[in-house]
Amino acid sequence: MSRLSKTDVVSIDDLSLPEIERVFTLADEFADALARGDTLSIANGLIMATLFYEPSTRTRLSFESAMHRLGGSVISSADMKASSAAKGESLADTVRIVSGYADLIVLRHPHDGAARVAAEYAPCPVLNAGDGSREHPTQTLCDLFILRRKKGKLKGLTVALCGDLKFGRTVHSLIYALARFGANIVAVPTSGMDVPNYVLERLAAERNYSFSTVTMDELKSLAGGLDALYLTPNAPHQMALFTGDLGLDKAPAGEAPASLDAFYVTRLQKERLGGEIKPGDYVRFDARALKTHRTQEAVVMHPLPRTDELAYELDSDPRAVYFEQAAVGVPVRMALIAWLIEQNRKKRASARDSSGLIRFKTEPFPRCVNSNCVTRFEGAHLRPRFRLARTVDRASLPLRCDYCERELRIEFVGHARSHRYYKYDESLYGYVRQWIEEQSLAVFETVKQAEESGYEPYRRGPQREVMNSAEIADAVNSLASQIAADIPDLTNVSIFGVVSHGAVLATRVRDVLDARIGIHAPCAAIDVYGSGEAIHLLDGASSLSVEGRTIIIVDDVINSGWTIQRAMTMIWQHGRPASVKLAVLIDRGHLAVPIRPNYVGKNIPTAPSERVQVRLAPPGTNGKHKTHDRATIYSMLEAAKAPEQAK
Ligand code: NCD
């Protein structure tokens, strides 16, 4: 049992402004105590665990030093590769175990939202030392502390944030805090590395705050002393900052002269780029930037480590405060721990607002769009959780992941009791709110997912047959012929059918190939939207490998291509195939992703509001194809009027 009461710092917004001020007061006292060489015993008997799933020098060592300086002790798993995480233990389990050994957990983790998960599962307090590209609140405490020490205040300061503002978690926490303290922000992102939308929207929604963005070139003109800088005019009070007619000397009476108080330079977060292209022209910040009359008073900050973006020549300049910024990590983190101990004596209201949370009761559970979201890694115990996003959108329902805050746009919604699904439009918004309250909202990425989950369209127009059973049999034969002509060596082929019709077609195509060429290709079903085993072997296959094989994915209808894209991602998780081919019974030709089928049974151009439905006799009923198989087309009528089933 922790000897500290449960107070987590996952986001910088978990601390109120008076609480941050209290931490600063304590930090000042501890800085003095350290300077005097005092021995402290505030944390006597307390144990802090540092769990670092990512590299760290400053954050971990300054936390550990802070705890030792306060008279407490530290246990650490600095290299989580040497812990049970390497054996596949979930974060939720790890923090529950570690809570039995320590009074407080400091966590750094590569996944967005990981600190939120840890805070929810650990009975002891959790301090976020960086979770993916989201937040790094204790770095922000150091940043604000040094800014206040150098500038005497935070309100009204103007801070330029430079470099990787997209993945830089220190930047995100700092932005939230500067907004609350009433400082001005000028964003100077490297091209393509802008402050993400979810951060901007949170600022707008919770603080009614926005800021300007300037390009690297504009920053260079500023460094050169030119007056012509164009700022995006969404923050008129900042327009005056760099425009020629409002120079430092000519500031109107009563207004503060326009100048920059700090540059906050950051390195490119290379480890988070994933498949993204590395930006070519990254900021290189040197002494020239401090030469203009508007920047000569500015301090230069950096959370460190630096790579090439910050010139070493600045180190001896008194305005370069980054080493001091790192050094105050000890008194500031001492202050945070001491503040946590103080919380023991108070009853604290829960900082998290759980109203408006959308919890999904029935499968399928929606998946967060962010491939680095912690919900993608924790396993089935962690149910995705969303809130309605603020964005107004007529054609899709915007949901925000409660762990990583990324936005998901839903095109198909369902009512869990009537088992009807609807193409979303704004006329459904009121119903959706009601279904959220009743916990009967279901959401789908595609029509296929809705129908595989047993939902029927709310209303459909008249049906028309587009393929009968003979035509379907011909198309299957044609697919087999196309495959045989294209792939000379069928011994290296594995066939994956997308559940459920794709899987039926996969075995049919395999059987035709077997009958003609005598090669019985291993066959598996891939369950793209299911929650259980994603891939299972189909009859006759004893084992199936992906590595180095030619994979043929088979599906009934290709429309947007999203389903196939997901199937491909799932297959790649099992190994690297030599190549991947796609066979579809019907190509509708509305691809939203750059995937083209290699083998097509029939092209049927359709309108987006139409639905092609395939019915196939289940496997093992060979002789009965004729009566069962058919493909029909109908139009999905939009839910323009009140959906009756939901009433
Ligand atoms: C930062 C981090 O880990 O996010 N480092 C730190 O804690 N001082 C910044 C970075 O790694 O670039």
Side-chain angles (χ1 to χ4, degrees), residues 110-131:
H111 296 150
D112 301 336
R116 172 76 57 222
V117 172
E120 281 175 10
Y121 284 87
C124 72
V126 171
L127 302 182
N128 179 8
D131 62 335

Side-chain angles (χ1 to χ4, degrees), residues 252-568:
E255 272 191 38
S259 64
L260 269 186
D261 297 293
F263 285 101
Y264 190 90
V265 187
T266 58
R267 82 180 164 94
L268 175 67
Q269 305 285 301
K270 285 197 198 82
E271 67 274 37
R272 298 190 213 291
L273 285 177
E276 292 189 44
I277 301 161
K278 196 173 157 200
D281 189 14
Y282 202 78
V283 58
R284 247 198 83 75
F285 197 90
D286 57 31
R288 280 175 303 171
L290 298 177
K291 292 213 164 81
T292 78
H293 61 280
R294 295 204 180 95
T295 56
Q296 59 199 6
E297 299 289 318
V299 293
V300 181
M301 301 169 68
H302 194 303
L304 302 178
R306 71 172 143 189
T307 44
D308 294 331
E309 66 283 350
L310 193 57
Y312 277 70
E313 67 182 31
L314 275 165
D315 295 358
S316 54
D317 191 305
R319 291 166 293 184
V321 300
Y322 31 87
F323 290 122
E324 198 178 336
Q325 190 184 348
V328 299
V330 176
V332 168
R333 291 185 169 104
M334 286 169 82
L336 186 62
I337 297 165
W339 174 81
L340 267 184
I341 297 170
E342 282 183 0
Q343 298 314 297
N344 256 2
R345 287 171 232 129
K346 296 179 195 161
K347 267 250 162 297
R348 229 170 154 258
S350 158
R352 289 273 297 162
D353 168 22
S354 62
S355 64
L357 271 185
I358 309 174
R359 296 174 204 271
F360 290 89
K361 272 266 167 90
T362 50
E363 299 210 27
F365 300 122
R367 231 172 42 134
C368 179
V369 282
N370 172 10
S371 60
N372 195 44
C373 177
V374 67
T375 55
R376 297 271 198 117
F377 300 90
E378 266 297 276
H381 77 88
L382 189 67
R383 293 248 181 105
R385 215 165 55 194
F386 294 84
R387 289 168 192 274
L388 272 182
R390 223 176 56 117
T391 337
V392 185
D393 185 343
R394 284 160 200 277
S396 63
L397 179 71
L399 302 184
R400 191 170 300 295
C401 172
D402 195 45
Y403 290 96
C404 76
E405 297 185 79
R406 302 306 199 284
E407 198 171 293
L408 173 71
R409 283 164 187 266
I410 300 292
E411 271 189 67
F412 300 94
V413 295
H415 183 243
R417 268 179 265 149
S418 63
H419 270 244
R420 298 280 173 208
Y421 74 85
Y422 307 79
K423 170 128 182 52
Y424 180 80
D425 67 46
E426 59 181 343
S427 69
L428 283 173
Y429 190 76
Y431 289 94
V432 165
R433 307 265 324 222
Q434 196 183 317
W435 300 345
I436 290 172
E437 252 171 57
E438 297 166 0
Q439 302 204 346
S440 62
L441 175 71
V443 299
F444 308 104
E445 287 173 42
T446 57
V447 166
K448 187 179 192 88
Q449 187 185 22
E451 295 189 352
E452 292 289 341
S453 311
Y455 282 68
E456 287 282 322
Y458 164 57
R459 269 168 38 184
R460 58 172 93 188
Q463 296 192 33
R464 177 167 56 86
E465 186 172 284
V466 283
M467 285 173 99
N468 60 25
S469 59
E471 285 168 315
I472 290 179
D474 285 350
V476 168
N477 284 330
S478 157
L479 286 175
S481 306
Q482 292 172 46
I483 291 168
D486 186 42
I487 305 174
D489 179 16
L490 284 171
T491 53
N492 197 37
V493 164
S494 301
I495 305 180
F496 283 77
V498 177
V499 166
S500 51
H501 294 136
V504 176
L505 288 168
T507 51
R508 288 196 194 173
V509 169
R510 191 264 322 266
D511 291 345
V512 174
L513 287 171
D514 193 359
R516 280 198 208 158
I517 308 165
I519 289 171
H520 194 78
C523 234
I526 179 159
D527 194 354
V528 173
Y529 298 112
S531 58
E533 243 344 283
I535 293 180
H536 45 271
L537 300 178
L538 290 173
D539 63 315
S542 52
S543 71
L544 186 143
S545 82
V546 166
E547 198 66 39
R549 310 262 313 166
T550 297
I551 303 295
I552 301 176
I553 301 178
V554 182
D555 203 0
D556 56 349
V557 183
I558 187 161
N559 186 24
S560 63
W562 292 122
T563 305
I564 299 301
Q565 197 178 49
R566 257 176 93 159
M568 283 172 64

Side-chain angles (χ1 to χ4, degrees), residues 58-59 108 136 139 169-170 267 269 303-305:
R58 274 152 296 276
T59 308
R108 171 168 288 185
H136 192 346
Q139 177 64 43
R169 56 193 173 196
T170 68
R267 82 180 164 94
Q269 305 285 301
L304 302 178

